[in-house]
Amino acid sequence: MNPSRRQALKAGGSLGLFSALVALGLVKPGDAWAEAWNKGAFDAKSTADALAALGANAPTMVGEIAITAPDIAENGAVVPVGAVSNLPGTTQIAYLIEKNPSTVAAVFDIPPGTLPEVQTRVKMGQTSNVMILVKADGKYYAAQKEVKVTVGGCGG
Amino acid sequence: MDRINVSTLLLAVLGMPAFVVPTTATAGDYRDQALAMVKRDFQAKGSAGLDRLEEDGLQSVCNRTGNHPPKEIAARLEQDQLASIEMPADGNLMGDWKAGEKLAQSGRGFTWTDKPGLPVGGNCYNCHRISPSETSFGTVGPSLYQFGKLRGKGPEVQQYVYQKIFNAKAFNVCSEMPRFGHIGALKEAQIKDLVALLLADDSPVNSK
Amino acid sequence: MNIRLILAALAGSALAGSAMAQTSPSEDFQKFRDVMEEDNPAELFEARGEEYWKTPRGPKNASLEQCDLGLGPGVVNGAYVQMPRYFADVDQVMDAERRVVHCMVTLQGLAFEEVTKQPFSNDKGTPDHVSVVTYIAGQSRDMKIAPPQNHPKERETYEIGKEIFGFRAGPYDFSCSTCHGADGRRIRMQDLPNLTKPEGAAKGIIGWPGYRMTGGFMLTSQWRMTDCFRQQRFPQPKYLSDTITAILAYQAVNARGQVYRGPGIKR
Amino acid sequence: MADPMKIRATLKGDTVEVRVLMAHNMETGARKDSSGGLIPAHFIQTVNATHNGKLVFAAQWGTAIAKNPFLQFKFKGGAKGDKLQLSWTDNKNDSRTDEATIA
């Protein structure tokens, strides 16, 4: 049993929901669960290391990945970033923020039946490229966009 | 400021038949209540002491008249403020525009979260457009971009700019601009740097 | 729905995100603030405040469900937009935050000093009374701002607030009015609403309490007023003082008829 | 215990749009407290969403996800009235599971 499954069951145990689901047969022990937290990827301090840890050494830069992020973020503490992949067979979408202390912000699994699009909000320490990495049909593709981070406001 | 002089003026303001209190007949009562409430409700914090709630004469005149004192009173007060401006002994009013730009950027100083005492920032960009490269500027005051280009940089303009920064109330008694030199917030050399920022040929303010 | 339109447009084209049309910074900020407002973390604090409101606690083991916010005990719906108002039980005009703390003290038996030990949110978190104010504010979403002006003390509070609004003092001769007394003003990039007019005054009320993105906590109107006085270079107004209530009453009355949109989002 | 998630699951055509807010500090481990000590990292690492026992979405997060996280995703095959379960687990093994009804 992988760690995240164990954690999920532990969580379920304390709250009753997952154990109830298992008992009802809604969740079968053999069901595929999300991959374990990829420590190697989240520890990566550069885009190259992050891509290597994600197994995506030289992704092809493509136009079929749309990134929604502000040109200038009012506040680096909360930067809304959305990604849509138009690549058939998309199974994973990852957010990489080049200038952050840890490059990888998020890795999303897209099971069959789930649309290859996601939105979340990230922290950015400074102006940086935001790369969206997509795994489609087992291959890696990417697009990126620069987001400027301002230190706005009056001095008072 | 000469307090006796101002009190006399205040009496004159209030005694003048032409002087009309701007709101209702009870506005004075509300003002008194407001002042009493403020004195009760504030506490000293950091460098911001309760003495800051004591109006000086000019503030009092502006507060009592909705910032529009009768012309004669305004003119007298402006004269007083102008007379109190200390001009540099060396006669030179142009400092270093680069230091001026740095000073103009800072809005620090005098709040209860700021380090007490001097130096404090010039606060200029909070209210004015100045150098074209700074796009984050306020609009409470007029744009000062191209100021030297438009107004020249002769001795009279230099003197005016120095005096305006030292005490804006010398030219418009209830101006919204602080009296930076008058209150001792900015020192002579700093004001000179700001004069240079607005007037120097090589200042970005006058570029193009 | 901006973001979805943009996403759809981008998805339909072969363009990468970097080819997005350039907009001015303030438009861009507003656009993403709108996006943030659609899913505002303030809702998490509304939920927490609601739970607090309904859960018995304190020495008297009481919930706040008997708290009278001006529309009768326990009536939360629409109460926020009808404050500040006069409360006969204390013979005082109170704003929402002041009333909530009053109820925590009187109904739950908590000590005023204890409740107000941390008046405002900070990195350590959002205090309970602030979550409760957020909950109450959320229960006035999309309602018109309508503070009553029937009681003489309500009218008096407004007039005093107006005086304080124009009161210039301190090293820089600033009053509230210096920044907020005219249209179209900005400090740096920050828009300064004209609080003397309905639309501007509403801007001063809408969006509070606000979820502060820096730090991720809730800030209330009480905090906003206090921080304005700080930036005005004044000394510090006491928490929940008459002065703050008066300034809030001045704004709320000026904003009458404008629609309140619930807790907002702040930089 | 952690506060409940705020989950909105809405059927639009044949697609369920899920929007979630989670109450979590998402401490990076790089911030200092007032006494100058580092605040230890504390952040959600995994998020799973299941519909009818089937995993419809999974996320792994690092410390760069903003405090009080927001997440939006879409999946097909859901119907009005169906239940959707979301759960997160953080690096201290705290967790939270909530359920929403598709509207």
Side-chain angles (χ1 to χ4, degrees):
Chain A
M1 187 187 292
N2 72 38
S4 81
R5 170 149 173 76
R6 207 179 308 127
Q7 283 171 8
L9 287 175
K10 178 176 174 285
S14 63
L15 292 158
L17 179 61
F18 270 79
S19 40
L21 290 169
V22 171
L24 288 167
L26 293 171
V27 176
K28 294 183 285 296
D31 276 355
W33 285 90
E35 289 170 46
W37 192 69
N38 187 341
K39 186 171 188 304
F42 288 102
D43 282 349
K45 305 291 179 205
S46 70
T47 304
D49 289 354
L51 290 173
L54 291 164
N57 277 319
T60 314
M61 301 302 284
V62 292
E64 286 89 353
I65 301 167
I67 307 171
T68 344
D71 296 329
I72 304 176
E74 187 178 17
N75 191 326
V78 183
V79 184
V81 178
V84 176
S85 166
N86 291 303
L87 295 158
T90 296
T91 54
Q92 196 177 72
I93 298 175
Y95 286 19
L96 281 68
I97 302 164
E98 190 183 330
K99 297 274 178 62
N100 268 8
S102 301
T103 308
V104 178
V107 180
F108 301 103
D109 286 335
I110 312 293
T114 295
L115 275 58
E117 60 176 271
V118 61
Q119 279 183 49
T120 188
R121 296 165 183 165
V122 300
K123 291 183 254 209
M124 291 181 66
Q126 56 180 303
T127 296
S128 171
N129 277 322
V130 173
M131 177 185 277
I132 302 297
L133 178 74
V134 169
K135 185 180 184 183
D137 277 343
K139 294 197 189 70
Y140 286 91
Y141 304 89
Q144 64 181 13
K145 170 182 165 68
E146 189 191 52
V147 176
K148 289 194 174 68
V149 174
T150 62
V151 188
C154 68
Chain B
M1 184 188 307
D2 183 344
R3 284 216 173 243
I4 298 165
N5 186 7
V6 167
S7 325
T8 319
L9 266 172
L10 261 181
L11 283 175
V13 173
L14 299 170
M16 274 173 58
F19 177 72
V20 183
V21 179
T23 49
T24 63
T26 52
D29 297 343
Y30 291 130
R31 176 178 146 84
D32 290 345
Q33 287 186 59
L35 290 185
M37 188 184 280
V38 162
K39 292 205 167 120
R40 200 168 63 230
D41 284 347
F42 280 76
Q43 57 202 6
K45 181 153 187 182
S47 65
L50 289 175
D51 57 318
R52 293 192 183 179
L53 299 173
E54 303 294 335
E55 301 159 287
D56 76 1
L58 181 141
Q59 289 169 341
S60 180
V61 169
C62 294
N63 285 342
R64 285 168 191 269
T65 60
N67 293 315
H68 294 290
K71 271 205 176 72
E72 301 78 7
I73 304 298
R76 280 291 303 280
L77 283 170
E78 284 164 8
Q79 277 167 27
D80 284 353
Q81 301 283 309
L82 189 62
S84 72
I85 295 174
E86 299 153 31
M87 297 302 288
D90 64 5
N92 176 25
L93 300 182
M94 294 275 269
D96 169 10
W97 71 259
K98 285 180 183 143
E101 170 70 23
K102 227 174 130 186
L103 183 61
Q105 288 283 356
S106 170
R108 295 266 157 234
F110 291 144
T111 76
W112 72 65
T113 47
D114 287 315
K115 208 168 57 197
L118 301 176
V120 296
N123 288 278
C124 312
Y125 281 103
N126 279 351
C127 298
H128 297 282
R129 180 175 189 214
I130 311 174
S131 295
S133 59
E134 179 52 84
T135 55
S136 174
F137 56 83
T139 60
V140 177
S143 169
L144 303 174
Y145 176 55
Q146 301 277 283
F147 190 90
K149 269 259 157 65
L150 299 167
R151 306 283 285 261
K153 52 160 183 163
E156 305 78 27
V157 178
Q158 286 183 30
Q159 176 177 310
Y160 167 71
V161 173
Y162 188 95
Q163 290 176 329
K164 179 83 182 180
I165 298 168
F166 191 99
N167 189 343
K169 270 73 170 182
F171 303 94
N172 170 7
V173 71
C174 295
S175 163
E176 281 161 337
M177 181 162 154
R179 297 170 278 177
F180 292 105
H182 181 81
I183 60 161
L186 297 182
K187 298 299 181 197
E188 183 179 303
Q190 293 175 300
I191 300 177
K192 288 179 178 184
D193 292 339
L194 293 173
V195 173
L197 177 64
L198 293 194
L199 300 182
D201 285 332
D202 56 346
S203 162
V205 168
N206 300 313
S207 64
K208 264 204 291 191
Chain C
M1 299 290 144
N2 271 338
I3 195 163
R4 252 160 269 119
L5 289 174
I6 295 161
L7 274 172
L10 282 168
S13 73
L15 292 173
S18 56
M20 267 175 68
Q22 294 286 320
T23 48
S24 78
S26 54
E27 281 171 39
D28 219 27
F29 292 171
Q30 192 50 51
K31 194 174 74 190
F32 281 92
R33 229 178 238 193
D34 292 345
V35 169
M36 286 290 297
E37 296 227 337
E38 282 184 44
D39 296 281
N40 187 344
E43 290 176 42
L44 297 167
F45 295 92
E46 286 180 47
R48 188 184 291 176
E50 180 174 10
E51 203 217 320
Y52 187 99
W53 180 267
K54 293 175 174 167
T55 309
R57 70 187 78 203
K60 295 186 183 172
N61 196 34
S63 75
L64 292 176
E65 286 165 309
Q66 287 304 304
C67 179
D68 184 353
L69 299 171
L71 306 178
V75 181
V76 182
N77 206 21
Y80 188 82
V81 285
Q82 295 180 58
M83 285 193 271
R85 68 156 61 228
Y86 174 78
F87 290 92
D89 57 351
V90 284
D91 189 29
Q92 255 183 343
V93 175
M94 291 180 145
D95 58 87
E97 191 159 347
R98 205 173 174 183
R99 189 65 182 174
V100 163
V101 171
H102 170 80
C103 284
M104 288 169 78
V105 170
T106 54
L107 295 177
Q108 300 185 313
L110 298 164
F112 179 84
E113 294 70 26
E114 185 60 27
V115 178
T116 60
K117 197 171 61 187
Q118 187 198 329
F120 307 124
S121 307
N122 56 32
D123 283 351
K124 292 193 188 75
T126 298
D128 289 334
H129 65 276
V130 170
S131 294
V132 174
V133 171
T134 307
Y135 160 59
I136 291 168
Q139 297 298 305
S140 280
R141 195 175 268 112
D142 299 329
M143 295 185 193
K144 280 193 174 162
I145 297 168
Q149 284 280 280
N150 303 321
H151 194 278
K153 286 212 173 175
E154 289 168 343
R155 292 194 291 273
E156 182 187 85
T157 301
Y158 171 83
E159 293 293 343
I160 292 172
K162 187 177 180 178
E163 284 291 329
I164 296 172
F165 184 80
F167 177 62
R168 303 179 71 171
Y172 287 159
D173 311 322
F174 286 163
S175 67
C176 307
S177 174
T178 307
C179 286
H180 295 287
D183 290 338
R185 290 189 163 178
R186 250 175 31 204
I187 279 192
R188 289 277 183 158
M189 290 306 282
Q190 199 82 31
D191 288 325
L192 301 166
N194 179 354
L195 301 178
T196 67
K197 292 187 180 172
E199 303 77 27
K203 278 190 186 145
I205 292 169
I206 291 169
W208 299 100
Y211 177 77
R212 190 173 191 94
M213 292 191 261
T214 310
F217 46 72
M218 296 302 303
L219 292 171
T220 60
S221 287
Q222 280 274 339
W223 175 85
R224 178 61 266 180
M225 295 305 109
T226 302
D227 205 58
C228 269
F229 282 117
R230 182 183 67 83
Q231 292 181 301
Q232 213 174 306
R233 273 75 178 178
F234 272 38
Q236 187 181 43
K238 291 174 191 158
Y239 183 52
L240 308 179
S241 60
D242 290 336
T243 293
I244 305 285
T245 302
I247 281 285
L248 289 176
Y250 175 67
Q251 274 186 68
V253 172
N254 286 348
R256 273 198 291 194
Q258 301 289 306
V259 176
Y260 177 68
R261 285 197 254 284
I265 200 103
K266 301 289 167 187
R267 185 165 56 87
Chain D
M1 195 180 72
D3 284 347
M5 287 179 246
K6 194 101 191 170
I7 306 169
R8 266 185 274 256
T10 322
L11 185 67
K12 294 178 177 175
D14 64 346
T15 303
V16 179
E17 180 187 272
V18 184
R19 302 146 78 95
V20 193
L21 284 164
M22 308 170 203
H24 202 287
N25 275 343
M26 300 301 286
E27 278 295 343
T28 60
R31 272 185 349 117
K32 287 178 178 163
D33 62 20
S34 47
S35 54
L38 277 183
I39 303 170
H42 187 201
F43 61 101
I44 294 175
Q45 289 187 315
T46 56
V47 183
N48 292 331
T50 54
H51 167 248
N52 289 338
K54 176 181 174 281
L55 184 78
V56 289
F57 194 80
Q60 299 172 54
W61 282 350
T63 53
I65 298 298
K67 184 169 179 173
N68 295 318
F70 169 70
L71 177 65
Q72 180 180 320
F73 60 91
K74 294 172 183 173
F75 69 95
K76 291 182 194 289
K80 277 193 183 165
D82 282 3
K83 303 281 190 233
L84 182 75
Q85 289 84 31
L86 268 110
S87 64
W88 56 252
T89 303
D90 68 24
N91 65 319
K92 293 184 179 175
N93 239 356
D94 292 338
S95 61
R96 170 92 212 175
T97 298
D98 289 288
E99 191 172 75
T101 304
I102 298 170

